[in-house]
Amino acid sequence: MRDYILTISCPDTTGIVYNVSKFLFDQQCNILDSAQFGDESTNLFFLRVHFALPDGATLTQAALGEQFEPVARQFSMTYQFNDARVKPRVLLMVSKFGHCLNDLLFRWKSGNLPCDIPAIVSNHQDFALLAASYGVPFYHLPVNQQNKGLQETQIRQIMERERIDLMVLARYMQILSPEFCAELPGRIINIHHSFLPSFKGAKPYQQAFDRGVKLIGATAHYVTSDLDEGPIIEQDVARVDHSLTPEELTSRGRDTECMVLARAVKWHCEHRVVLNGHKTVVFQ
């Protein structure tokens, strides 16, 4: 089956769903799944349609876009057709904490993460053996204030060579330059503890322990030039109490980070996330 996913955002008005459905009907397509959302606060409309082409159809993805253009112009749409059979190519970035990296690699190898992982980049060598155990090329690119520009150029070269669609900062503890972030809007996902901005800096879980928190959490978001201010994709929390040590608190927090990041990456790869200004629409 040749199936595609169409995602749309545009000003909210009447006739959008009708015209999109009519377009697909005219191409003899079968709608497999459809979800929509109208944001009253921004007056924007969002639509995700999963559809299949008829058997024997020769219509290409590019041709679909060309034929859809009159509908898109009529409603001032931002849209994208994605081949549902093509897995996005994901670059994983990591520093010295490997729990998210290990979790993503296991889910990918188990077939539970709909992507390909052709490369891992790190500013440390700690996880070279882990990468090798999964058969993924590992690039050690040290970074400091003097070579930051060169290192980001090397990352760009890897992304171009490996045709990377998405970069995932799986606890990559370096700040990307504003120029690098601007080149990849909606294509870099980061994970961090949800204590920001309350517990900034080193040892956030120790800070949380010292304050006696009752909930810990994690947030996955797209990266922008504003540090940790990008559109949020997914969040979750775990309840804790006074009986936990700082180490136990850290362990529970890292488990939450893994789950939240995995969901965000999966939903992005399934084309379920649509940018809505500083927010996202996530079609479940």
Side-chain angles (χ1 to χ4, degrees):
M1 180 177 67
R2 294 179 57 199
D3 53 323
Y4 292 87
I5 297 170
L6 169 62
T7 54
I8 293 169
S9 63
C10 63
D12 199 356
T13 188
T14 58
I16 299 170
V17 174
Y18 169 78
N19 279 275
V20 172
S21 301
K22 183 178 183 303
F23 168 81
L24 295 175
F25 176 79
D26 290 341
Q27 314 306 318
Q28 298 182 310
C29 297
N30 180 33
I31 294 178
L32 305 174
D33 178 68
S34 179
Q36 64 191 61
F37 171 69
D39 188 346
E40 294 183 0
S41 67
T42 60
N43 195 39
L44 291 176
F45 182 81
F46 301 86
L47 179 65
R48 178 186 185 272
V49 184
H50 183 194
F51 65 93
L53 293 177
D55 292 338
T58 59
L59 200 61
T60 64
Q61 182 174 336
L64 275 171
E66 291 175 6
Q67 295 191 24
F68 187 70
E69 191 59 32
V71 179
R73 284 198 303 269
Q74 180 183 351
F75 293 96
S76 301
M77 292 177 175
T78 298
Y79 70 94
Q80 191 170 29
F81 285 94
N82 289 284
D83 190 330
R85 301 166 302 170
V86 176
K87 295 180 179 180
R89 295 173 64 81
V90 176
L91 172 66
L92 299 182
M93 306 277 291
V94 67
S95 289
K96 294 182 74 68
F97 298 108
H99 52 288
C100 287
L101 172 69
N102 188 57
D103 181 76
L104 291 173
L105 287 171
F106 178 79
R107 291 174 190 268
W108 163 67
K109 202 68 171 180
S110 303
N112 295 319
L113 204 59
C115 66
D116 289 326
I117 301 177
I120 298 169
V121 168
S122 179
N123 55 323
H124 298 280
Q125 292 182 315
D126 299 52
F127 300 111
L129 289 179
L130 176 64
S133 72
Y134 281 96
V136 180
F138 181 88
Y139 298 89
H140 176 220
L141 303 180
V143 62
N144 53 48
Q145 290 297 325
Q146 288 70 43
N147 76 340
K148 188 174 183 65
L150 173 61
Q151 192 241 25
E152 289 191 347
T153 296
Q154 293 172 315
I155 295 172
R156 289 185 184 94
Q157 291 170 346
I158 293 171
M159 294 185 69
E160 182 177 359
R161 183 171 65 250
E162 298 295 343
R163 307 186 313 282
I164 296 298
D165 301 298
L166 175 69
M167 174 187 290
V168 176
L169 308 184
R171 293 305 302 267
Y172 180 67
M173 308 305 289
Q174 294 290 321
I175 298 174
L176 300 175
S177 70
E179 296 78 16
F180 192 96
C181 296
E183 293 171 14
L184 299 166
R187 292 179 56 198
I188 309 175
I189 295 178
N190 186 34
I191 183 71
H192 68 65
H193 51 83
S194 286
F195 305 132
L196 295 175
S198 298
F199 301 121
K200 292 184 177 181
K203 298 184 177 180
Y205 291 106
Q206 180 67 54
Q207 296 178 54
F209 173 81
D210 293 340
R211 291 290 299 274
V213 303
K214 307 307 179 191
L215 287 173
I216 59 174
T219 298
H221 65 93
Y222 287 119
V223 173
T224 66
S225 56
D226 297 320
L227 183 63
D228 292 332
E229 297 289 338
I232 293 170
I233 305 169
E234 171 64 341
Q235 294 177 295
D236 206 346
V237 295
R239 182 162 290 279
V240 297
D241 60 31
H242 61 277
S243 67
L244 298 182
T245 65
E247 292 75 23
E248 292 170 329
L249 202 68
T250 299
S251 177
R252 192 164 298 186
R254 288 178 176 173
D255 287 345
T256 306
E257 291 171 16
C258 290
M259 290 187 296
V260 169
L261 182 59
R263 289 181 201 141
V265 173
K266 183 175 187 291
W267 294 340
H268 178 98
C269 291
E270 293 174 343
H271 311 291
R272 297 186 181 276
V273 187
V274 184
L275 288 171
N276 181 16
H278 297 296
K279 303 184 293 182
T280 63
V281 173
V282 183
F283 290 114
Q284 299 293 346

